[in-house]
Amino acid sequence: MGQQPITFLRQVMALCTYPNLLDSPSFPEDAKKRARRILQACGGNSLGSYSASQGVNCIREDVAAYITRRDGGVPADPDNIYLTTGASDGISTILKILVSGGGKSRTGVMIPIPQYPLYSAVISELDAIQVNYYLDEDNCWALNVNELRRAVQQAKEHCNPKVLCIINPGNPTGQVQSRKCIEDVIHFAWEEKLFLLADEVYQDNVYSSDCKFHSFKKVLYEMGPEYSSNVELASFHSTSKGYMGECGYRGGYMEVINLHPEIKGQLVKLLSVRLCPPVSGQAAMDIVVNPPVPGEESFEQFSREKESVLGNLAKKAKLTEDMFNQVPGIHCNPLMGAMYAFPRIFIPAKAMEAAQAHKMAPDMFYCMKLLEETGICVVPGSGFGQREGTYHFRMTILPPVEKLKTVLQKVKDFHIKFLEEYA
Amino acid sequence: MGQQPITFLRQVMALCTYPNLLDSPSFPEDAKKRARRILQACGGNSLGSYSASQGVNCIREDVAAYITRRDGGVPADPDNIYLTTGASDGISTILKILVSGGGKSRTGVMIPIPQYPLYSAVISELDAIQVNYYLDEDNCWALNVNELRRAVQQAKEHCNPKVLCIINPGNPTGQVQSRKCIEDVIHFAWEEKLFLLADEVYQDNVYSSDCKFHSFKKVLYEMGPEYSSNVELASFHSTSKGYMGECGYRGGYMEVINLHPEIKGQLVKLLSVRLCPPVSGQAAMDIVVNPPVPGEESFEQFSREKESVLGNLAKKAKLTEDMFNQVPGIHCNPLMGAMYAFPRIFIPAKAMEAAQAHKMAPDMFYCMKLLEETGICVVPGSGFGQREGTYHFRMTILPPVEKLKTVLQKVKDFHIKFLEEYA
């Protein structure tokens, strides 16, 4: 999508990969300092060695320090940090360890609808029960605790709800949860003794000036010891999103708190079967949590590149929302965070019939038509889940501004033509 | 363990990581050529992009070309190649897709004893049935097909044996299977309709001059179409072993043949949940299967480094066998391949009693004593499985020759003292 890698990150990675470059004058000193720190913590000073299954020690320390800074001083313990193969690996590992039982005692896992399909896939892989709670589209996809209550009560009739998954900022829905809402969710989890799983991979991707990312960990601690020493929480981060977009390295971490020591032992054992997460991805994660600071040689360039990516994403989020809302039959909630628009589309009755004739879901039919006629590929809402009778698609806002404008214009033209064709 | 990375591999990786280096005169042209080829096949010419879930196309092509060369012209189809997060990931994914059923129809998975504990761990994770077949220690850990027959017949009484796992060269046992033995195993798998899982990650690690690595794929094809179009086979390779030892990058591939198209569809779907294997690991795998060739600038240095690692391992394999067999109460089979010695140790009755008093397996007690008294850490045979009443430990032969000599001498001294102490 044209987004360039952050120079500093790649410099440190190259230095770690081929340490001969540590003598090269063309690399800045602060990058060399980071590379030396990482290599010294690796077996044989090499990214090629296995690390501990939980991840390289000093990188887990850097992650803990990052979390503490991010959360205004709320302490983080490196022992609770697990480096992972992207966030997906962490999420499926935690779910694997939490799911158990058969019949009415089968584990229920609560997930938002719309959701990121990793959740439904892993739940199905593990033979757990997917418990849907619906985000409120009419209220900018907010999470409503009453809806959580409805969902958990209903679920208790046929399974044992044990886990509550939250995606904040939302994927595909782009909402950013308010502090109040997070408090309510934590209180609910405490009441219902649910394990909280906070997917916070878009924590750097917040665009609206009137909202802010609050980590579940921070809010949990601020709610006092009754909550902070009892509610079990795993939160996830990744190198794949934010301003860095380093998906291919499969870097990520999870912080797990209040896990029973015996379960923790089982978790480490489970992780050790796969030996360790990719050490290059661990190194990438380290640079994300330990970037250049004021006074360091690379600080200015790093900040410029970071701001440029995030500034552009904010611009594109606004542009996309505005453009979609100009189209009759499309409604798009504000893109407060993450990287996607998830507009609601009106599909005329005749188009529904045509879809049925093609044995396709109406939104799938719409997306296939869009692909055929414009070459633009978006994902039908049915892949993420949506309230019955509503239709959506997910589109990324990653393309460069000018390209995105063209894409949006083409979608608009297509949609108007589609409405006419099936009027 | 002091083994240095292969320069060419790290050069290509550094160039891929930080493509500015493609203009640097300090990198050889053949490394740049490899890096450009890999980058051109990556989204946005970057290791930071997600790849297809099955892996980068051109790397799968290079893997297929490598297999064809290795197997003297037996064709390999890139469409049957899946890049993985190390071999462990491939093995657990294939097992996941093969295991099903409950009660007497639960899937039985046949594994060698001694085995590499990944197998028992994944079988237990998947709630499948572990079906042991014993390697013949008195016959240099050879695989005997009669033992396979015994194991499968017995297993059929309580489960549905569907998978036969082979580790060749053996881990922890170091045997290299003869061509005849592989033929027998394939015939057995054909008769019993078993899915063959050939763990061939040590294919470059063969040391005895009187044995040779034969891939299951090659032998299968040479046995004719009745076998080559019917027997389902998955074989695994990795960047972690051989002469490269790049464990941290988590690179690997599997070649899967004769898989039913519908199952193949399910396999790709399953892989796509985790998005893709680390692209840096995929790049490392590419260099392993596409090394410098005669006439290229890096060929000489590459060959020198490769031969040095493999030559040293061969020397150390012989040294270890010889040293162990000089010790009364230790018997060590020839280390024909892989990277470990798995000597049998005699444990006196009094030591067995002491172990029992400590609630430890006798070989665990032995290994803990060794660790406490010498600082040398080896793995008790009970972690790999062994015939009842026999005791072993696994020791790597990776340390540099001089260090290895010291280690072996210390183990020898310890063992003699141990025998005296518990005489």
Side-chain angles (χ1 to χ4, degrees):
Chain A
M1 292 292 179
Q3 185 181 313
Q4 292 308 305
I6 299 292
T7 305
F8 183 76
L9 189 144
R10 292 300 186 94
Q11 285 174 331
V12 180
M13 297 287 285
L15 289 160
C16 288
T17 303
Y18 190 54
N20 288 22
L21 293 170
L22 286 164
D23 300 327
S24 161
S26 36
F27 285 79
E29 277 312 312
D30 47 0
K32 291 182 182 173
K33 193 178 118 192
R34 296 293 189 293
R36 282 197 197 94
R37 175 171 158 78
I38 293 169
L39 288 175
Q40 273 161 15
C42 291
N45 302 325
S46 170
L47 290 192
S49 303
Y50 289 123
S51 75
S53 299
Q54 200 172 342
V56 172
N57 278 352
C58 94
I59 301 181
R60 291 191 291 115
E61 283 162 18
D62 288 348
V63 168
Y66 159 79
I67 294 173
T68 306
R69 274 196 322 274
R70 181 197 69 188
D71 290 347
V74 172
D77 183 347
D79 198 42
N80 290 338
I81 308 296
Y82 301 77
L83 298 171
T84 56
T85 308
S88 310
D89 168 52
I91 293 167
S92 34
T93 303
I94 284 291
L95 283 174
K96 193 183 278 175
I97 212 143
L98 293 175
V99 166
S100 64
K104 272 192 86 168
S105 71
R106 257 164 94 193
T107 302
V109 180
M110 302 181 72
I111 61 170
I113 297 294
Q115 55 121 13
Y116 176 62
L118 165 71
Y119 292 94
S120 48
V122 173
I123 289 169
S124 143
E125 234 183 276
L126 295 172
D127 207 20
I129 300 281
Q130 174 176 327
V131 177
N132 296 337
Y133 66 87
Y134 289 86
L135 300 175
D136 185 358
E137 181 164 17
D138 296 337
N139 196 8
C140 298
W141 296 115
L143 194 169
N144 185 317
V145 176
N146 290 330
E147 168 61 9
L148 290 179
R149 282 191 219 289
R150 180 207 58 78
V152 84
Q153 288 316 326
Q154 213 167 310
K156 280 176 183 171
E157 288 166 23
H158 59 278
C159 71
N160 175 18
K162 282 209 293 195
V163 188
L164 170 56
C165 302
I166 308 284
I167 313 175
N168 179 48
N171 175 5
T173 40
Q175 85 285 14
V176 176
Q177 277 182 271
S178 70
R179 199 182 180 293
K180 171 73 174 66
C181 173
I182 294 175
E183 271 187 31
D184 291 348
V185 170
I186 291 174
H187 180 74
F188 170 79
W190 172 84
E191 270 183 341
E192 297 285 343
K193 296 200 182 352
L194 296 169
F195 193 108
L196 267 175
L197 221 138
D199 179 340
E200 300 178 324
V201 297
Y202 295 101
Q203 57 190 263
D204 284 319
N205 299 98
V206 175
Y207 311 120
S208 297
S209 55
D210 54 348
C211 61
K212 199 181 153 227
F213 170 74
H214 302 275
S215 80
F216 268 75
K217 165 86 179 304
K218 179 171 195 257
V219 177
L220 182 66
Y221 270 72
E222 290 172 352
M223 285 170 73
E226 177 57 28
Y227 296 92
S228 65
S229 12
N230 287 308
V231 176
E232 292 164 301
L233 168 70
S235 66
F236 305 89
H237 197 12
S238 157
T239 59
S240 304
K241 317 298 173 192
Y243 54 90
M244 45 287 180
E246 296 283 10
C247 327
Y249 284 100
R250 313 305 298 119
Y253 75 74
M254 55 185 181
E255 182 187 23
V256 189
I257 61 173
N258 291 324
L259 195 65
H260 188 287
E262 255 177 57
I263 310 293
K264 200 166 171 170
Q266 292 296 322
L267 174 60
V268 173
K269 200 167 164 184
L270 181 64
L271 291 172
S272 71
V273 175
R274 309 293 135 82
L275 300 163
C276 71
V279 182
S280 47
Q282 297 185 45
M285 194 74 243
D286 188 65
I287 306 155
V288 172
V289 297
N290 187 18
V293 292
E296 284 187 314
E297 195 177 342
S298 303
F299 178 71
E300 201 208 333
Q301 186 185 2
F302 172 82
S303 304
R304 204 179 340 111
E305 291 176 355
K306 174 178 170 177
E307 294 317 320
S308 156
V309 174
L310 292 178
N312 266 312
L313 282 170
K315 219 180 287 170
K316 293 186 283 189
K318 192 76 186 71
L319 173 77
T320 304
E321 178 194 342
D322 290 348
M323 285 279 281
F324 275 139
N325 285 328
Q326 285 166 20
V327 186
I330 295 189
H331 172 74
C332 185
N333 269 326
L335 281 68
M336 298 152 81
M339 295 174 170
Y340 318 97
F342 195 66
R344 182 165 170 179
I345 46 176
F346 170 70
I347 297 187
K350 272 199 179 161
M352 306 261 245
E353 285 162 26
Q356 203 169 15
H358 285 81
K359 295 191 171 118
M360 280 183 189
D363 52 0
M364 178 57 139
F365 177 73
Y366 179 96
C367 292
M368 287 303 290
K369 281 266 170 196
L370 176 68
L371 179 62
E372 284 161 12
E373 292 186 20
T374 65
I376 297 166
C377 179
V378 298
V379 190
S382 43
F384 304 90
Q386 52 201 350
R387 279 210 185 265
E388 198 161 333
T390 70
Y391 302 105
H392 304 78
F393 63 77
R394 188 186 85 164
M395 195 189 89
T396 168
I397 58 166
L398 287 171
V401 175
E402 287 313 308
K403 204 176 197 174
L404 182 63
K405 278 185 189 164
T406 312
V407 166
L408 291 167
Q409 186 60 48
K410 282 189 178 174
V411 174
K412 180 181 174 179
D413 296 345
F414 164 83
H415 187 83
I416 291 169
K417 212 179 122 225
F418 183 87
L419 290 192
E420 282 167 9
E421 197 178 334
Y422 294 99
Chain B
M1 291 293 178
Q3 185 181 313
Q4 291 309 304
I6 300 290
T7 306
F8 183 76
L9 189 145
R10 291 302 186 94
Q11 285 174 330
V12 179
M13 297 288 285
L15 290 161
C16 288
T17 304
Y18 190 54
N20 289 22
L21 293 169
L22 286 164
D23 300 326
S24 160
S26 36
F27 285 79
E29 278 310 312
D30 47 0
K32 291 181 183 174
K33 193 178 117 193
R34 297 290 189 295
R36 282 196 198 95
R37 176 171 157 76
I38 294 169
L39 288 176
Q40 273 161 16
C42 291
N45 301 323
S46 169
L47 290 191
S49 302
Y50 289 123
S51 75
S53 299
Q54 199 173 341
V56 172
N57 279 352
C58 94
I59 301 180
R60 291 191 291 115
E61 284 162 19
D62 287 349
V63 168
Y66 160 81
I67 294 174
T68 306
R69 276 196 319 275
R70 181 197 70 188
D71 290 347
V74 172
D77 183 347
D79 197 41
N80 291 337
I81 308 296
Y82 301 76
L83 298 171
T84 56
T85 308
S88 310
D89 168 53
I91 293 167
S92 34
T93 302
I94 284 292
L95 284 174
K96 192 183 279 178
I97 212 144
L98 294 174
V99 165
S100 62
K104 271 192 88 166
S105 71
R106 256 163 96 192
T107 301
V109 180
M110 303 182 70
I111 62 169
I113 296 294
Q115 55 121 14
Y116 176 62
L118 166 71
Y119 292 95
S120 49
V122 172
I123 289 168
S124 143
E125 232 183 277
L126 296 172
D127 206 21
I129 300 281
Q130 174 175 328
V131 177
N132 295 338
Y133 66 88
Y134 289 85
L135 300 176
D136 185 359
E137 181 164 18
D138 295 337
N139 196 10
C140 298
W141 296 114
L143 194 168
N144 185 316
V145 176
N146 291 330
E147 168 61 8
L148 291 179
R149 282 190 220 289
R150 179 208 59 77
V152 84
Q153 288 317 326
Q154 213 167 309
K156 280 176 182 169
E157 288 166 24
H158 59 279
C159 69
N160 176 19
K162 283 208 295 194
V163 188
L164 170 55
C165 302
I166 310 283
I167 312 175
N168 179 49
N171 176 6
T173 42
Q175 86 286 15
V176 176
Q177 276 182 270
S178 70
R179 199 183 179 294
K180 171 75 174 69
C181 172
I182 294 174
E183 271 187 29
D184 292 348
V185 171
I186 290 173
H187 180 74
F188 170 78
W190 172 84
E191 270 182 341
E192 297 284 345
K193 297 198 181 354
L194 296 170
F195 193 107
L196 267 174
L197 221 139
D199 180 339
E200 302 179 324
V201 298
Y202 295 101
Q203 57 189 265
D204 285 319
N205 298 98
V206 175
Y207 311 120
S208 297
S209 55
D210 54 349
C211 61
K212 200 182 150 225
F213 170 74
H214 302 275
S215 80
F216 267 74
K217 164 86 181 301
K218 179 171 195 257
V219 177
L220 182 66
Y221 269 72
E222 289 173 352
M223 287 170 72
E226 177 58 26
Y227 296 93
S228 66
S229 10
N230 287 309
V231 176
E232 292 164 303
L233 168 70
S235 67
F236 304 89
H237 196 15
S238 157
T239 58
S240 305
K241 318 296 173 192
Y243 54 88
M244 47 284 180
E246 295 284 11
C247 326
Y249 284 100
R250 312 308 296 117
Y253 75 74
M254 55 183 181
E255 182 187 23
V256 189
I257 62 173
N258 291 324
L259 194 65
H260 189 286
E262 255 176 58
I263 310 294
K264 200 167 171 171
Q266 292 296 322
L267 174 58
V268 173
K269 200 166 162 182
L270 182 64
L271 291 171
S272 71
V273 175
R274 309 291 136 84
L275 300 163
C276 70
V279 182
S280 46
Q282 297 184 45
M285 194 74 243
D286 189 65
I287 305 155
V288 172
V289 297
N290 187 19
V293 293
E296 283 186 316
E297 194 177 343
S298 304
F299 178 71
E300 202 208 331
Q301 185 184 2
F302 173 82
S303 305
R304 203 177 343 110
E305 291 176 355
K306 174 178 171 176
E307 294 318 319
S308 156
V309 174
L310 291 177
N312 266 314
L313 282 169
K315 217 179 290 172
K316 293 185 283 189
K318 191 79 187 71
L319 173 77
T320 305
E321 177 193 343
D322 290 348
M323 286 279 280
F324 275 139
N325 285 327
Q326 286 165 20
V327 187
I330 294 190
H331 172 76
C332 184
N333 270 326
L335 282 65
M336 300 153 80
M339 296 173 170
Y340 317 96
F342 194 68
R344 181 164 170 179
I345 46 176
F346 170 70
I347 297 188
K350 270 201 183 161
M352 307 258 243
E353 285 161 27
Q356 203 168 16
H358 286 81
K359 296 194 170 115
M360 280 183 189
D363 51 1
M364 178 57 141
F365 177 74
Y366 179 95
C367 293
M368 287 303 291
K369 281 265 172 200
L370 176 67
L371 179 63
E372 283 161 12
E373 291 186 21
T374 66
I376 296 166
C377 179
V378 299
V379 190
S382 42
F384 304 91
Q386 53 202 352
R387 277 207 186 269
E388 198 160 332
T390 70
Y391 303 104
H392 303 79
F393 62 78
R394 188 186 84 163
M395 193 188 89
T396 169
I397 58 167
L398 287 171
V401 175
E402 286 314 308
K403 203 175 195 172
L404 183 64
K405 279 185 188 161
T406 313
V407 167
L408 290 166
Q409 186 59 49
K410 282 188 180 176
V411 175
K412 181 181 174 180
D413 296 345
F414 164 83
H415 187 82
I416 292 168
K417 211 178 124 230
F418 184 86
L419 290 190
E420 283 168 9
E421 196 177 335
Y422 294 99

